[in-house]
Amino acid sequence: MSRVVITAMGWITPMGHDIDAVWKKLLAGDSGISTTSIFDASTFPTTFSAEVKDFKLEDFVADTSAHQSVGRNTRFALAACSQAWKAAGLDRAKLDLDRVGIYLGSGEGSLDFDAYTAAALTGWKDGATELDSVKWAGIALERMNVTRELEQEPNMPLSHLALLTGARGPAFNCLTACAASTQAIGEATEILRRGDADIMIGGGAHSMIHPFGVTGFNRLTALSTYNEQPTKASRPFDANRGGFVLGEGAGMVILETLEHAQKRGATILAEVVGYGSTADAYRITDQHPQGEGAIAAMQAALADARLTPADIDYINAHGTGTKENDGNETNAIRQVFKDRAKQTPVSSIKSMMGHLIAAAGAVEMICCVLAIRDQILPPTINLERPDPECDLDYIPNKSRPAKVNTVLSNSFGFGGQNDTIIVRRFCA
Amino acid sequence: MRRVVVTGIGIISPLGIGAKTHWNNLLSGKIGVQRITAFDPSGFPSQIAGEAPQFKVNDFIPKSYRKAAKVMARDIELAVVAADDAFKDAGLQSKAYTETSTLEVNRFGCNIGAGLINCDLNELTAAMYTARDGNKLDLHKWGRDGMQQLTPLWLLKYLPNMLACHVTIIHGLMGPSNTITCADASSHLAIGEAFRTIQRGHADLAICGGAESKVNQMGLARQTLLGRLNDGDNASPQTAVRPFDETAAGTAIGEGGGLLVLEEYEHAKARGAKIYAELAGFGASQDVYKVTTPNPDGHSYGMAIKKALADAKVSTDRVDCMVPCGLGIASHDKAELAGLRFACGDDLQKIPLAPIKGQIGNLAAGCGVEPATAVLAMVNNTIPAAVNTRKLPAGVKLNVRTEPRDAKVDVAVTTVYSLGGQNAALVFKRV
């Protein structure tokens, strides 16, 4: 079985678009959260979010002609992938492109809001119980744009990355809600281990900062509504936490078999050593109250890596800042790590850049690799009043230098999807 | 290497509910493509679809789960119905059927492909109408009051992973769970991924495949805008979808779900399961061409098939039946044939082909019905017909018949490409 290493990374985040610049801000405990500007959310229960700002695809991709009218998710994916591809020093002319694959955990693209709402409202009238499909079709077929409609399909970021890189190998998009890009990197690792590719681009991209996205999460009462102070709103593990903050962005990594990376003299940033995936099988609305699925995912990843909790130097938590998640995740960590639980530092970068949904896991894994590179752990900001339910070492408010060799990252999705991945400093 | 076999088949298709009904109707020549009844299609150029029969999802779930059924989009319902069929067929007593289930649930995975699930426009528009400003949505009104009209769980109806989530909850499955969303290729890729999960030892069983419904206004509008649909045969839906035919004039939208129970071979033997076939090979690849059109050079599509055949250690002269994608869009069919030829060479002319979309339409992420049909072809030693493939384009030689035929089927292959360029192939072998 091939060993799998990470040789390059790229991201587009609410805190910037450059690996080192964003990392510096995370270590400084900055926030990427502010009043929503993508649409007028002023009367919504939640009026803020973690938006990607000052972003132009042209700054990352010279020829954008094949990527016109794509969704925000695909634009972020292209820019993040382009960064990673360049950082890896890959040249498509020198690669066996049938052995370069892509595994993404990307979300759907951006709705054509004006055309969509106009068609729907035209097809309705007072007292109606059913849409007038004929009227609807008249407006929809006239106003909807074929490319904008196609680009909403969740496989589009994947398809565009293939055009960008020329990758013709195994190609997948998985959409397991908030766990998607951790799962994608885990499954990409399995493809490389098996020898079905030499290189896999892994990661995810998503934006749900649009009226119906915020509507959906607001109706679920999953979002923080601390509108007075957006930078204080994301409070993982704090007693006053009140929901997550919706973010957007993309994270991409270049994964290679060790053999392929060494042969081409690539810089090896870290090794992916463990991956676990489970289902809660409990409820679509709630996590398993005893964290059974989360426990099983962490245990599966540890077993896959042939490691014990004592080997883990840092846990990058899912840590959304909802009442439910942070208590359950803490409990699950306690169950898996037992007497090591309180000695193992845990943090959630969602306190600073919000929750990138399908893209969250990839961005968080990049932080894990950077923690190993720089021997420093990012903090959990806004942790001001400890919650008796959350009694671990969450690296409150200030980053911390530490000996970091092996890192575990959790991602949990709505509906009970649990994925854990473990990365380690590379040792030949 | 652990071997993986198929021990259960679950289908809901335009030909019926249940794998047996689907198969019997497929062989009897029934056509599931008809004028759309789910809504008034007369404002659209193409007014036909492969619609699944009417059903009540409550008939397919435990009584205790009926509350959760209220937040199932139709795509989810289709997956739930197909899963029920597959579990019963496999003789697996999950917690849906007994309080004393002995299934090792931590070793039971799930990978159900899904599409972009469209919102119920009646529900959403009724809410939007309360916050309208002419034919625009007033976001101030919407944020303040309008959105309150929606059920709190509204979003959860439309997350693509909810197909897998409902199935894992209903049947109590806690092993590796995934949701592939690669349009028409979702099911084949999901089955391939579940296959690998069992091979590498992370599960002993998995339910896998996919489900989708495009039989709604948005589904039809998008496919119409893309120019993929036949809009000239509304009066004769029975012969509208004509894969590989020289008169192929577009496909038809559809809906359905096809799921397989995959199981590690020794595990299946130990519990005395009936074994339909071995899943012996899987290949996946990506086109680098245009996101809307398969690459006419057929390279990547052919590579996926070659990889699957090599994985199964099967040469093309041993393939007894192939269920291809066969959309019935002339340019796409031509590109597909280039890929099939790339993979099979001259053997392509001999391999019995069974493009079944003429009878069911394009089920998109529900194309898991096609691998399920390939397995049924092996079990029954019968090659389904290409009912509407009456005359091949000049210079094209294929082994297709307009009637089903008896033949020994020891190796069955199914292939697919997606709108977006993902390609996949699966190879089934007789055990």
Side-chain angles (χ1 to χ4, degrees):
Chain A
M1 198 169 76
S2 302
R3 293 170 69 182
V4 177
V5 294
I6 299 166
T7 55
M9 314 189 288
W11 61 18
I12 298 297
T13 81
M15 298 174 77
H17 319 316
D18 172 79
I19 288 283
D20 286 304
V22 174
W23 180 232
K24 216 170 139 186
K25 286 186 189 174
L26 287 167
L27 294 179
D30 285 358
S31 173
I33 300 166
S34 57
T35 301
T36 299
S37 67
I38 292 172
F39 69 97
D40 182 351
S42 58
T43 63
F44 279 56
T46 301
T47 60
F48 58 90
S49 56
E51 293 178 345
V52 168
K53 298 171 197 81
D54 305 318
F55 170 74
K56 284 211 297 285
L57 180 58
E58 292 72 16
D59 294 343
F60 300 90
V61 176
D63 179 4
T64 59
S65 57
H67 316 298
Q68 298 299 309
S69 302
V70 300
R72 281 176 83 79
N73 58 342
T74 298
R75 296 159 64 80
F76 300 153
L78 284 163
C81 180
S82 176
Q83 285 175 42
W85 189 262
K86 283 176 199 158
L90 292 169
D91 174 359
R92 66 199 276 177
K94 290 182 188 155
L95 294 168
D96 178 355
L97 293 166
D98 290 318
R99 293 193 53 81
V100 181
I102 310 174
Y103 210 125
L104 300 188
S106 286
E108 69 293 335
S110 316
L111 187 73
D112 184 351
F113 189 76
D114 291 343
Y116 187 86
T117 51
L121 289 167
T122 305
W124 207 258
K125 62 180 182 202
D126 284 330
T129 54
E130 208 170 82
L131 193 73
D132 182 331
S133 292
V134 177
K135 278 191 181 163
W136 184 92
I139 302 293
L141 295 177
E142 182 192 312
R143 290 209 36 195
M144 287 179 187
N145 169 281
V146 57
T147 309
R148 288 195 63 179
E149 291 308 316
L150 173 64
E151 292 294 340
Q152 293 170 43
E153 294 285 342
N155 60 331
M156 283 296 125
L158 166 61
S159 303
H160 282 275
L161 293 198
L163 296 180
L164 179 76
T165 61
R168 295 192 303 214
F172 301 81
N173 191 74
C174 65
L175 187 36
T176 47
C178 315
S181 53
T182 296
Q183 183 142 19
I185 292 169
E187 294 294 339
T189 299
E190 296 290 359
I191 287 172
L192 291 167
R193 282 173 165 181
R194 216 181 156 270
D196 285 343
D198 299 325
I199 298 176
M200 292 294 292
I201 300 162
H206 207 176
S207 174
M208 291 186 78
I209 307 178
H210 52 75
F212 291 140
V214 176
T215 294
F217 288 121
N218 265 153
R219 292 301 292 134
L220 283 166
T221 63
L223 296 181
S224 166
T225 54
Y226 195 26
N227 294 328
E228 300 76 19
Q229 264 188 298
T231 59
K232 292 280 184 189
S234 186
R235 317 178 63 80
F237 307 108
D238 186 84
N240 292 334
R241 66 186 184 276
F244 74 84
V245 175
L246 188 56
E248 60 176 357
M252 295 290 161
V253 296
I254 304 293
L255 301 155
E256 294 182 57
T257 60
L258 175 60
E259 191 190 0
H260 190 269
Q262 285 178 329
K263 208 165 161 190
R264 72 179 188 91
T267 308
I268 295 173
L269 301 173
E271 179 173 2
V272 184
V273 293
Y275 164 56
S277 165
T278 67
D280 274 358
Y282 180 63
R283 285 185 191 160
I284 57 164
T285 44
D286 303 294
Q287 293 175 331
H288 193 286
Q290 277 83 47
E292 257 189 57
I295 291 167
M298 283 188 265
Q299 287 173 337
L302 285 165
D304 187 38
R306 294 191 178 81
L307 294 174
T308 67
D311 298 310
I312 302 297
D313 301 312
Y314 165 62
I315 297 171
N316 187 293
H318 186 55
T320 54
T322 62
K323 275 274 174 249
E324 183 188 38
N325 177 82
D326 298 356
N328 286 346
E329 186 172 10
T330 296
N331 183 48
I333 291 170
R334 264 196 238 113
Q335 298 295 317
V336 174
F337 282 69
K338 300 203 167 65
D339 57 336
R340 297 283 312 170
K342 291 205 174 187
Q343 298 157 55
T344 309
V346 180
S347 72
S348 169
I349 65 157
K350 290 187 179 83
S351 59
M352 298 174 276
M353 66 162 77
H355 188 347
L356 276 50
I357 311 295
V363 164
E364 287 160 20
M365 202 186 98
I366 290 172
C367 290
C368 294
V369 175
L370 294 169
I372 292 169
R373 185 191 72 179
D374 295 346
Q375 298 291 290
I376 188 163
L377 301 174
T380 304
I381 69 162
N382 298 324
L383 187 40
E384 290 159 350
R385 220 184 102 207
D387 177 352
E389 232 200 338
C390 301
D391 58 353
L392 304 179
D393 172 8
Y394 301 108
I395 319 175
N397 305 311
K398 280 202 164 52
S399 55
R400 182 191 302 165
K403 185 175 146 289
V404 191
N405 284 326
T406 310
V407 174
L408 178 150
S409 183
N410 283 332
S411 295
F412 308 134
F414 270 113
Q417 309 266 175
N418 311 291
D419 289 279
T420 299
I421 202 155
I422 300 175
V423 289
R424 190 165 61 181
R425 172 192 296 283
F426 174 68
C427 298
Chain B
M1 178 71 79
R2 286 153 58 93
R3 293 171 71 185
V4 178
V5 293
V6 180
T7 57
I9 303 174
I11 294 177
I12 175 165
S13 87
L15 295 176
I17 298 171
K20 275 201 188 85
T21 310
H22 164 82
W23 177 252
N24 289 338
N25 285 330
L26 188 71
L27 293 197
S28 72
K30 183 179 170 183
I31 307 286
V33 179
Q34 299 168 21
R35 184 173 174 83
I36 291 168
T37 65
F39 57 92
D40 178 359
S42 54
F44 295 86
S46 173
Q47 300 165 9
I48 56 174
E51 263 182 76
Q54 300 275 338
F55 64 90
K56 289 198 180 76
V57 75
N58 281 346
D59 296 340
F60 300 87
I61 56 176
K63 266 193 184 142
S64 59
Y65 203 68
R66 287 188 182 171
K67 203 174 152 204
K70 289 183 183 147
V71 285
M72 289 184 189
R74 187 163 174 87
D75 305 51
I76 301 171
E77 291 184 344
L78 292 165
V80 165
V81 171
D84 178 63
D85 191 36
F87 268 88
K88 285 176 176 159
D89 184 48
L92 290 166
Q93 290 290 311
S94 78
K95 76 176 248 208
Y97 311 109
T98 171
E99 282 172 15
T100 54
S101 175
T102 54
L103 287 186
E104 265 191 86
V105 292
N106 292 310
R107 303 283 301 164
F108 205 134
C110 177
N111 196 332
I112 301 186
L116 177 65
I117 304 178
N118 291 316
C119 295
D120 176 350
L121 277 170
N122 293 332
E123 181 191 19
L124 180 58
T125 311
M128 287 199 289
Y129 197 70
T130 67
R132 72 190 184 280
D133 171 13
N135 283 336
K136 287 185 178 163
L137 184 65
D138 181 328
L139 278 183
H140 284 182
K141 287 188 207 164
W142 177 256
R144 215 165 27 232
D145 312 308
M147 70 160 74
Q148 305 299 327
Q149 309 295 315
L150 297 174
T151 168
L153 303 186
W154 177 70
L155 180 70
L156 299 184
K157 293 184 189 182
Y158 305 113
L159 298 181
N161 64 318
M162 284 297 155
L163 284 65
C165 290
H166 281 280
V167 169
T168 57
I169 296 167
I170 292 168
H171 296 282
L173 317 178
M174 297 184 73
S177 172
N178 198 354
T179 291
I180 301 293
T181 52
C182 287
D184 306 355
S186 302
S187 280
H188 288 67
L189 291 169
I191 292 169
E193 284 283 271
F195 171 43
R196 298 297 186 221
T197 304
I198 297 174
Q199 268 189 327
R200 66 178 179 250
H202 288 169
D204 297 322
L205 287 143
I207 183 148
C208 53
E212 185 173 358
S213 174
K214 285 201 194 294
V215 188
N216 52 63
Q217 292 93 340
M218 275 308 293
L220 180 56
R222 289 202 175 104
Q223 296 291 308
T224 300
L225 291 167
L226 283 159
R228 287 158 65 89
L229 302 181
N230 180 337
D231 56 13
D233 286 298
N234 288 329
S236 50
Q238 306 253 324
T239 54
V241 181
R242 303 185 286 273
F244 306 116
D245 191 84
E246 68 164 2
T247 66
T251 196
I253 58 166
E255 62 178 0
L259 296 174
L260 301 179
V261 173
L262 298 183
E263 190 166 357
E264 194 271 326
Y265 181 46
E266 297 299 332
H267 189 279
K269 277 201 297 187
R271 76 172 179 96
K274 69 176 175 296
I275 294 172
Y276 288 126
E278 178 171 4
L279 175 50
F282 168 51
S285 70
Q286 171 69 42
D287 269 14
V288 179
Y289 182 61
K290 292 177 184 169
V291 293
T292 48
T293 321
N295 194 333
D297 76 5
H299 172 93
S300 288
Y301 190 54
M303 281 302 287
I305 302 165
K306 278 186 177 219
K307 284 192 267 188
L309 289 167
D311 191 28
K313 299 186 179 67
V314 164
S315 53
T316 51
D317 60 338
R318 285 181 51 205
V319 178
D320 301 311
C321 176
M322 187 183 272
V323 180
C325 193
L327 274 176
I329 304 170
S331 60
H332 288 48
D333 289 356
K334 199 174 164 199
E336 178 170 19
L337 287 182
L340 294 176
R341 210 169 288 120
F342 181 91
C344 304
D346 289 341
D347 284 337
L348 178 61
Q349 296 177 27
K350 294 179 225 152
I351 298 170
L353 277 190
I356 62 169
K357 287 192 175 71
Q359 285 174 267
I360 62 174
N362 180 15
L363 308 193
C367 280
V369 169
E370 291 170 12
T373 300
V375 175
L376 288 167
M378 180 179 295
V379 173
N380 293 288
N381 284 311
T382 306
I383 293 156
V387 288
N388 293 331
T389 309
R390 300 193 172 271
K391 192 166 179 228
L392 296 169
V396 174
K397 281 187 187 155
L398 295 173
N399 184 350
V400 285
R401 299 278 187 281
T402 53
E403 299 288 334
R405 48 189 148 150
D406 295 336
K408 189 93 173 78
V409 180
D410 291 329
V411 174
V413 176
T414 176
T415 63
V416 75
Y417 58 92
S418 76
L419 176 57
Q422 292 82 45
N423 307 297
L426 297 164
V427 178
F428 298 97
K429 271 202 255 190
R430 190 175 295 282
V431 173

